[in-house]
Amino acid sequence: MAPVVEKVCEPVMLGEGPHWDAPTQTLYYVDIEGKKLFKYVPATKTRTAVTLDDLIGFALPVEGRPNVFVAGLKKRIVLATWDGKSETPELVENLLEVQRDVKIDELRINDGKADPSGRVWAGTMSKVEVGMSDGVLFYVEGGKHHVRQTQVGLSNGLAWTQDCKTMYYVDSLKRTVDVMSVEPASGQISNRRPLFDLAKNNVEGFPDGMTIDLEGKLWVAVYGGAKVLRINPDDGSLMTTVDIPAAEVTSVAFGGANLDELYVTTAAMRVTKELREKMPDAGALFRVTGLGVRGYPGRAAKL
């Protein structure tokens, strides 16, 4: 059976960061440009949103603290308290600021995710231009951010093996999906190398957010390519392509009661009038079923 792609939520400007919260059977995701965190409940087909005070790169539930999220707002890592219904947060507490010494207006936190141990990783970006490298990749621990990669252009997708010893990473401007070794205790990374090169595989667009399934295969959103790729990390081969009716595909996450549904966020940042006529749902949240694989739920943050 061929995969079925359906729109489940109306478009936003820059959808990103889908996170499936298994205990509540809820999908959280953000609209970076709209400064919003969304809560989508499939059982009731309802979506609510809270508006933050700056560009929001990601938001993750915090383990053991109901209604509390760790989020990246511009250059800040914050704790936001939200009841899932109100239009404004109950409380926003600043934890830290990244790259204080970098005076670039466009610099901001982009994609972020907790690894299987609960450690929060995120990265930054500045101008979306090939050759830019002002960003970093870091993790948060002990009230500080620990930089593990510098000279990053546009920090994006993150995924790990379950033992946290192998990390998959996307710097979108390189147009590659990379793999590296991680020392779980210290978070030190080494031996970074390209795993999949979009240009060499004749794939149009830029790699963006990604996730990993139970078979250890990667699912990678392609911004500007209107598709999601399934990649085999064992040999770097392209296994499957799923077409999405939106050019700017930004990220993916498995969800649903059986974790066999793939939620796909998209954007409408550079949609022309002509493209809007072809893809009227650009910026929508989509759900893909019938893939025949299962994934992992989102990992709550341990702070």
Side-chain angles (χ1 to χ4, degrees), residues 21 24 28 60-70 78-83 90-95 300-303:
D21 186 57
T24 61
Y28 293 102
L60 305 169
V62 176
E63 186 176 275
R65 300 183 65 179
N67 298 335
V68 177
F69 301 82
V70 59
V78 307
L79 287 180
T81 302
W82 178 45
D83 60 10
E90 178 182 336
L91 178 69
V92 176
E93 175 189 355
N94 290 327
L95 291 184
K302 279 187 177 181
L303 295 175

Side-chain angles (χ1 to χ4, degrees), residues 13-275:
M13 184 58 70
L14 182 49
E16 256 286 9
H19 174 97
W20 180 257
D21 186 57
T24 61
Q25 293 291 288
T26 296
L27 186 85
Y28 293 102
Y29 68 105
V30 303
D31 176 4
I32 296 176
E33 291 291 325
K35 305 177 183 178
K36 294 182 184 297
L37 166 61
F38 290 101
K39 175 183 179 180
Y40 172 65
V41 183
T44 57
K45 298 182 179 179
T46 55
R47 181 177 75 172
T48 52
V50 62
T51 302
L52 284 304
D53 65 0
D54 216 330
L55 302 178
I56 177 170
F58 73 92
L60 305 169
V62 176
E63 186 176 275
R65 300 183 65 179
N67 298 335
V68 177
F69 301 82
V70 59
L73 298 185
K74 188 68 172 180
K75 292 174 64 176
R76 294 175 292 148
I77 298 292
V78 307
L79 287 180
T81 302
W82 178 45
D83 60 10
K85 298 175 289 185
S86 304
E87 295 181 357
T88 55
E90 178 182 336
L91 178 69
V92 176
E93 175 189 355
N94 290 327
L95 291 184
L96 59 94
E97 182 178 345
V98 302
Q99 293 185 270
R100 287 187 176 185
D101 56 327
V102 180
K103 307 301 181 182
I104 299 175
D105 289 341
E106 295 90 347
L107 187 81
R108 66 169 176 83
I109 296 168
N110 198 41
D111 206 357
K113 192 179 289 187
D115 69 19
S117 74
R119 174 183 278 159
V120 177
W121 293 76
T124 57
M125 58 172 284
S126 58
K127 297 178 181 178
V128 185
E129 297 175 6
V130 174
M132 297 300 293
S133 58
D134 300 300
V136 297
L137 171 67
F138 63 92
Y139 70 81
V140 178
E141 197 167 81
K144 299 179 180 179
H145 74 293
H146 305 265
V147 174
R148 287 295 175 260
Q149 194 84 75
T150 59
Q151 295 187 315
V152 172
L154 201 171
S155 190
N156 242 316
L158 298 157
W160 296 264
T161 53
Q162 289 302 292
D163 61 7
C164 291
K165 292 183 178 180
T166 300
M167 180 178 183
Y168 303 101
Y169 178 58
V170 168
D171 177 347
S172 293
L173 299 188
K174 292 182 178 296
R175 299 194 68 217
T176 60
V177 178
D178 293 350
V179 58
M180 62 188 87
S181 300
V182 184
E183 205 293 308
S186 67
Q188 294 288 350
I189 60 177
S190 61
N191 194 27
R192 178 177 172 181
R193 65 255 185 220
L195 172 68
F196 183 85
D197 188 309
L198 272 69
K200 291 180 180 178
N201 284 272
N202 298 312
V203 177
E204 182 181 354
F206 296 83
D208 207 311
M210 67 177 161
T211 191
I212 191 168
D213 63 30
L214 293 185
E215 298 174 11
K217 307 303 189 291
L218 300 174
W219 293 81
V220 182
V222 183
Y223 187 95
K227 60 177 64 69
V228 174
L229 311 177
R230 190 187 191 208
I231 296 168
N232 187 347
D234 295 336
D235 58 11
S237 62
L238 176 59
M239 301 177 68
T240 306
T241 298
V242 179
D243 293 326
I244 304 296
E248 299 167 348
V249 184
T250 56
S251 196
V252 289
F254 281 98
N258 297 313
L259 295 169
D260 58 355
E261 302 170 352
L262 189 70
Y263 284 91
V264 182
T265 53
T266 67
M269 292 287 288
R270 294 171 176 80
V271 176
T272 62
K273 181 180 179 181
E274 180 182 17
L275 188 57

